[in-house]
């Protein structure tokens, strides 16, 4: 016996193609397309056995709010999410919202049909390969890219960070000393320490490295120059 279902997706061509394919396989399709914002209202008003709900962003906050509302107002409707290759967070969010299954956009129509039948029967409708991939990623998470800017920033003292910002702004030793209220020799010492910690050989290289890694954005604006006597020469 065919499933009485709805295909809800804001990509009309995809929705209509799926609806046509499922009709040819003996299923009763009540609607073929709707914007995401109106998905819940449409499903609640028509009350199908199964809703095939498309999404392009399974990991985005609020993506599965329509699922929550459908299950709250029509708990008998089984919702199967149709989306891209999900992250573990995406799969978890879908099921936490009340979905009965998750099917990839590139799944064959036979796989979509199996998921719909399982969902109508009250079973979890998700391909074993998807679950295996999700568990594998959860158990062996990919390493996050190294935040070089943050790492370099942590190597410098607050005063050295200010020196680096001034170097990047093109200030020479005299201007650095005047702006920070320190002696020129102290300013030169700070500059040399900054170069050494960053592993570069010139002020130009230091400025380029700071800009490339986003260190300057993290450092924030330098304090306003305050008049006063410079520190004594060390």
């Amino acid at each position: 016996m065919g499933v009485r279902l709805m295909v809800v997706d804001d990509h009309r061509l995809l929705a209509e193609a799926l609806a046509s394919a499922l009709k040819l396989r003996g299923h009763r399709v009540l609607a073929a397309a709707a914007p995401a914002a109106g998905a819940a209202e449409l499903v609640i008003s028509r009350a199908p056995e199964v809703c095939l709900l498309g999404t392009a962003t399974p990991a985005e906050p609020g993506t599965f709010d329509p699922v929550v509302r459908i299950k709250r107002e029509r708990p008998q409707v089984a919702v199967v999410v149709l989306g891209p290759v999900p992250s573990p967070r995406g799969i978890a969010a879908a099921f936490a919202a009340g979905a009965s299954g998750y099917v990839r956009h590139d799944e064959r129509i036979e796989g979509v049909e199996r998921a719909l039948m399982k969902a109508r029967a009250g079973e979890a409708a998700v391909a074993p390969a998807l679950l295996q991939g999700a568990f594998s990623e959860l158990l062996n998470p990919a390493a996050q890219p190294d935040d070089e800017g943050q790492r370099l920033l942590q190597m410098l003292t607050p005063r050295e960070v200010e020196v680096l910002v001034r170097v990047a702004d093109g200030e020479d030793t005299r201007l650095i000393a005047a702006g920070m209220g320190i002696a020129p020799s102290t300013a030169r010492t700070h500059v040399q320490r900054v170069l050494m910690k960053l592993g570069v050989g010139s002020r130009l290289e230091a400025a380029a490295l700071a800009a490339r890694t986003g260190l300057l954005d993290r450092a924030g604006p330098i304090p306003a120059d305050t008049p006063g006597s410079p520190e004594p020469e060390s």
Side-chain angles (χ1 to χ4, degrees), residues 15-30:
E16 291 180 348
L18 272 171
S20 296
L22 290 166
K23 284 179 181 178
L24 289 174
R25 301 178 77 86
H27 302 288
R28 291 167 291 164
V29 184
L30 302 181

Side-chain angles (χ1 to χ4, degrees), residues 4-46:
R4 187 165 55 89
L5 65 97
M6 296 182 69
V7 178
V8 184
D9 195 294
D10 56 3
H11 291 83
R12 181 168 294 276
L13 287 177
L14 173 62
E16 291 180 348
L18 272 171
S20 296
L22 290 166
K23 284 179 181 178
L24 289 174
R25 301 178 77 86
H27 302 288
R28 291 167 291 164
V29 184
L30 302 181
E41 288 81 358
L42 187 59
V43 175
I44 290 166
S45 67
R46 304 297 294 273

Side-chain angles (χ1 to χ4, degrees), residues 149 153 161 164-166 168-169 206-221:
L153 190 62
V161 171
L164 178 59
V165 173
R166 291 180 180 276
D169 284 343
L209 177 63
R212 177 176 61 79
T213 61
L215 192 156
L216 295 177
D217 295 331
R218 296 176 181 273

Side-chain angles (χ1 to χ4, degrees), residues 185-229:
S185 62
T186 304
R188 279 193 295 273
T189 299
H190 283 315
V191 171
Q192 289 303 314
R193 286 176 178 167
V194 168
L195 298 183
M196 180 183 65
K197 288 184 177 182
L198 296 182
V200 296
S202 70
R203 298 184 184 210
L204 183 59
E205 289 181 73
L209 177 63
R212 177 176 61 79
T213 61
L215 192 156
L216 295 177
D217 295 331
R218 296 176 181 273
I222 61 176
D225 295 347
T226 56
S229 301

